[in-house]
Amino acid sequence: MQFEHEHHEETHTRMSEILAELFDEPYLDEETGHFYVGYGSTVLELSVEPYGPEETTVEVTSYCVQGVRLQEDLLLGLLELNHEQPVGAFSLVGTDIFFSQSLFGRALGRKNLLGTIAAVANVSDEYDDRIVEKYGGQTALDRIRDTGGRRKRSAGVS
């Protein structure tokens, strides 16, 4: 992984240290620099991205539902939920639904990272089973169980 500036590297290092305190085995993808942790019934991806020449953002993303049947009422419902949620937002990539929240790297501390992780995981956990029941697809944990944890993102396979 290549860092854009000193603060980018510092934030990444700080996040690695905090995750090691909070989780038994956070996984680091050496190629992308992204971390993965299990929390409740979801899998979270955490990344540090440069934001301008001297700042970073920390994004916490949950894999909410994968392989969902896209229907208009689902899409409108997710937009309405985005309006109602006090933090974070749902997003859609192909047929996969994610929920994420960002914070600035300079604000990164144990308490606010844990709060962000908990908020993202709790919202995802609240909605994943409901979405699967009505629109199909799989929760993150079901997907891992079925695939052994390997996901072919680069090939575009859901």
Side-chain angles (χ1 to χ4, degrees):
M1 150 143 215
Q2 187 170 342
F3 298 104
E4 297 281 326
H5 46 70
E6 186 177 332
H7 180 63
H8 187 200
E9 184 172 7
E10 290 169 358
T11 305
H12 192 273
T13 300
R14 187 172 39 204
M15 186 163 68
S16 177
E17 293 166 353
I18 294 169
L19 290 175
E21 292 173 14
L22 297 174
F23 297 93
D24 288 334
E25 296 181 30
Y27 173 76
L28 172 62
D29 181 328
E30 296 287 344
E31 186 176 320
T32 64
H34 295 192
F35 296 89
Y36 297 85
V37 297
Y39 190 99
S41 69
T42 192
V43 175
L44 301 173
E45 179 178 6
L46 296 95
S47 63
V48 176
E49 302 299 332
Y51 185 78
E54 297 180 9
E55 182 57 277
T56 57
T57 59
V58 174
E59 185 163 340
V60 179
T61 302
S62 66
Y63 288 71
C64 189
V65 177
Q66 295 176 302
V68 70
R69 286 188 314 273
L70 298 179
Q71 295 182 10
E72 185 177 352
D73 61 327
L74 168 65
L75 303 177
L76 291 173
L78 291 175
L79 286 173
E80 288 175 9
L81 285 171
N82 282 347
H83 179 71
E84 296 169 7
Q85 293 298 321
V87 295
F90 285 96
S91 61
L92 183 71
V93 177
T95 59
D96 297 343
I97 298 172
F98 301 88
F99 186 80
S100 62
Q101 179 180 336
S102 298
L103 60 144
F104 284 108
R106 294 205 187 278
L108 183 64
R110 187 179 195 276
K111 184 176 178 179
N112 62 0
L113 182 60
L114 181 58
T116 301
I117 288 170
V120 169
N122 288 334
V123 169
S124 184
D125 190 39
E126 181 178 344
Y127 289 101
D128 61 0
D129 290 326
R130 289 194 242 175
I131 293 170
V132 168
E133 184 178 318
K134 191 167 181 179
Y135 303 101
Q138 293 180 296
T139 66
L141 288 182
D142 288 342
R143 180 66 175 208
I144 288 170
R145 286 183 193 115
D146 287 353
T147 63
R150 291 182 176 80
R151 179 157 159 78
K152 299 178 183 176
R153 283 206 229 170
S154 60
V157 176
S158 296

